[in-house]
Amino acid sequence: MVFCTNWTIFVLVMDIHGYLHDATELLKELIAIPSESRNETKAADKLAAYLDKWGLPYGREGNNLWVGCQDWDNNRPTILLNAHIDTVKPVASWTRDPYQPTQEGGVLYGLGANDCGGGLVSLLQAYRIMVSRPRNYNLLWVASAEEEVSGKDGFSRVLPLLPKIDVAIVGEPTGLQPAIAEKGLMVIDGYAHGVSGHAAREEGVNAIYEALDDLVWLRDYRFRKSSPLLGDTKMTVTVVESGTQHNVIPDTLHFIIDVRANEYYKNEYLFEFLRKHMKKCELKARSFRLHSSCISEEHPLIKRCTAMGMQPFGSPTLSDQALMPFPSFKLGPGESCRSHSADEYIKISEIEQAINTYVNLLDGVIL
C-alpha cells in the first residue's frame, strides 16, 4: 500500500487555470486510449505516468490506482475521491471517431469524456490542491476499473487493500448536484419447463404458456414502499427466449428480470419474495452484491453541499457506490443523459466548475 511514504517533491501550487489545463490534457490522452471494461491496462498506465510526473506515489492493483496523502494519520477520518477509468463500447450511431478527442470551442468530444473522465480528472486535480491544505481528515483518491460491468477486478478487488474509509465522493456525471441515494441492481434468470411435441397435435406442454401467468404477475406487481428520493422498486422483464421452430411445442423458456431496488429493499429479500410468488418458474439470481445505497442529508458533506446551493436527489443509475460498505454520494461534472450515447462530450467549463466545487466542498469541512 502507498499512502504517505516517498513524497520527495513539494506540492506545486498553481491557479485554477493550471489545474484545469492539466485535467483537460489528461482527459484528452485518456479518450485516445480504448479502455472498455476489462481492457483498461493502457489507460491505467497513462494515469500512472501522470501520477509519476506530478510526484504522487501510488498503489496499483490490476488496473486500479490509488494515492493517499503525505500527512496520513490513522486517527483521522478518511474521505475517498473515486471515479472509474473504463468505458462502455461505442454505439454504432457515433458520427465522430470516439477515440479521437476533439475540442470545438469549449466542448470536448470523445468516448468517456462525460462518463466519467470529467469526474476522474476533476477529482484528481481537487486532490492535488487539497493535499497541500490543512485538513482534519485523510484524503484518498482511487481510480477504479470495470465499473461499467461491476466486474470482480474493479473496485471490489482494490477495496481490501485500502484503509478504513468514512465517506466517499463518486465522480459520476450528476450536473454537479449531489445524488444522495442510488438504486441497486439485481439480474435474475427465469426458466419455465414444458414437454415438446408436434404443434399440429394435442400433445406436449407449452413452456410459453407455463410462464404466462408469472410474467403477467411480474408486469403488474407493485412494491408497497416507495422512496421519496428513488421512487418505486421496479422489476422489468427485458429478455424472453423460447422455441426452435413454428411446428414444435417449446419445452423450455428463458427470461431475464432487471430489478432496480430502492433503499427499502435488499436484493436477498426481493429474490426470496419473487421465488415465493412465481408459481411455475424457476429463478436464479446472478448476484446479490449490487445493493441500493444512500447517505443521510444530515451528513456534514451533504449539509455543506446544501449550504453551497446544491440540491440533493436520488439517482436511478448504478455506480461503484453499490460496492461501498460506507456512506457515499455521487457528485460530478456532465449530465447522466450523455452517458452511453453517441458523440459523448463534456464542457471544459464543467470541468473547471467541478474542480472549484470539490475544493470548496472539501476545504474546511469538519467530519
Side-chain angles (χ1 to χ4, degrees):
M1 293 186 294
V2 178
F3 300 118
C4 57
T5 60
N6 302 322
W7 288 75
T8 57
I9 70 167
F10 62 88
V11 177
L12 178 63
V13 178
M14 304 181 287
D15 65 21
I16 186 62
H17 298 292
Y19 291 108
L20 177 61
H21 174 268
D22 285 353
T24 304
E25 292 307 303
L26 173 56
L27 180 54
K28 289 178 179 178
E29 293 202 42
L30 290 175
I31 289 171
I33 301 172
S35 52
E36 297 170 11
S37 300
R38 302 189 177 97
N39 186 34
E40 309 100 337
T41 301
K42 291 182 179 179
D45 291 343
K46 177 62 64 176
L47 268 175
Y50 266 83
L51 295 175
D52 280 331
K53 174 183 175 181
W54 292 329
L56 302 175
Y58 62 88
R60 180 167 180 172
E61 177 67 19
N63 293 325
N64 305 280
L65 299 163
W66 69 90
V67 183
C69 53
Q70 77 275 25
D71 57 347
W72 193 275
D73 183 348
N74 288 331
N75 295 316
R76 300 190 303 186
T78 297
I79 297 178
L80 167 66
L81 308 178
N82 166 251
H84 64 88
I85 64 175
D86 59 315
T87 72
V88 296
K89 296 179 180 179
V91 295
S93 51
W94 273 82
T95 64
R96 305 166 178 269
D97 182 346
Y99 303 111
Q100 177 62 50
T102 305
Q103 186 172 342
E104 297 180 1
V107 178
L108 177 60
Y109 294 90
L111 182 63
N114 182 77
D115 183 17
C116 73
L120 178 73
V121 299
S122 299
L123 282 172
L124 180 54
Q125 301 313 310
Y127 164 88
R128 293 176 68 200
I129 295 169
M130 288 305 303
V131 292
S132 66
R133 298 188 180 183
R135 291 164 280 103
N136 81 322
Y137 56 85
N138 301 312
L139 204 54
L140 176 65
W141 176 84
V142 174
S144 49
E146 296 191 8
E147 188 272 349
E148 295 290 2
V149 294
S150 300
K152 63 180 178 63
D153 288 323
F155 190 81
S156 293
R157 178 171 171 178
V158 73
L159 180 60
L161 304 178
L162 302 178
K164 179 181 179 294
I165 296 167
D166 294 271
V167 64
I169 301 173
V170 180
E172 292 287 324
T174 65
L176 278 178
Q177 301 299 316
I180 64 172
E182 175 185 270
K183 280 195 169 180
L185 169 65
M186 177 172 53
V187 179
I188 298 175
D189 291 286
Y191 302 89
H193 303 283
V195 178
S196 62
H198 198 297
R201 296 192 292 269
E202 293 293 330
E203 62 183 28
V205 177
N206 194 317
I208 296 175
Y209 297 160
E210 290 293 288
L212 279 180
D213 288 345
D214 284 345
L215 293 174
V216 170
W217 181 85
L218 282 169
R219 182 195 66 186
D220 295 339
Y221 186 79
R222 299 293 180 268
F223 288 96
R224 181 173 60 85
K225 296 178 182 178
S226 184
S227 165
L229 287 167
L230 297 175
D232 295 336
T233 290
K234 293 186 178 295
M235 304 182 294
T236 307
V237 177
T238 54
V239 174
V240 176
E241 303 168 313
S242 185
T244 56
Q245 61 188 58
H246 77 91
N247 57 352
V248 177
I249 299 295
D251 58 359
T252 61
L253 179 142
H254 168 239
F255 59 95
I256 298 174
I257 315 170
D258 180 283
V259 182
R260 304 281 172 160
N262 63 28
E263 70 270 32
Y264 296 134
Y265 296 98
K266 293 292 186 183
N267 288 335
E268 291 87 347
Y269 168 83
L270 293 173
F271 180 72
E272 291 303 321
F273 182 85
L274 292 180
R275 287 184 64 186
K276 178 180 177 181
H277 286 83
M278 302 283 279
K279 304 302 183 182
K280 294 289 186 70
C281 296
E282 173 191 359
L283 301 181
K284 294 181 180 179
R286 297 183 184 179
S287 169
F288 296 118
R289 68 192 186 110
L290 302 176
H291 290 290
S292 176
S293 60
C294 63
I295 187 172
S296 170
E297 293 189 61
E298 297 302 311
H299 190 280
L301 282 173
I302 304 305
K303 291 177 73 173
R304 194 170 177 90
C305 285
T306 303
M308 291 170 61
M310 291 181 253
Q311 181 62 51
F313 73 102
S315 171
T317 58
L318 194 75
S319 74
D320 275 338
Q321 275 187 275
L323 305 174
M324 296 179 181
F326 41 78
S328 60
F329 64 101
K330 292 188 293 198
L331 179 69
E335 300 291 344
S336 183
C337 61
R338 300 178 200 158
S339 302
H340 305 184
S341 62
D343 299 337
E344 182 181 347
Y345 69 90
I346 195 161
K347 298 176 182 178
I348 305 301
S349 61
E350 291 173 325
I351 297 175
E352 181 177 13
Q353 184 184 1
I355 297 171
N356 281 319
T357 297
Y358 291 141
V359 170
N360 290 335
L361 176 62
L362 293 167
D363 199 12
V365 69
I366 304 297
L367 295 184

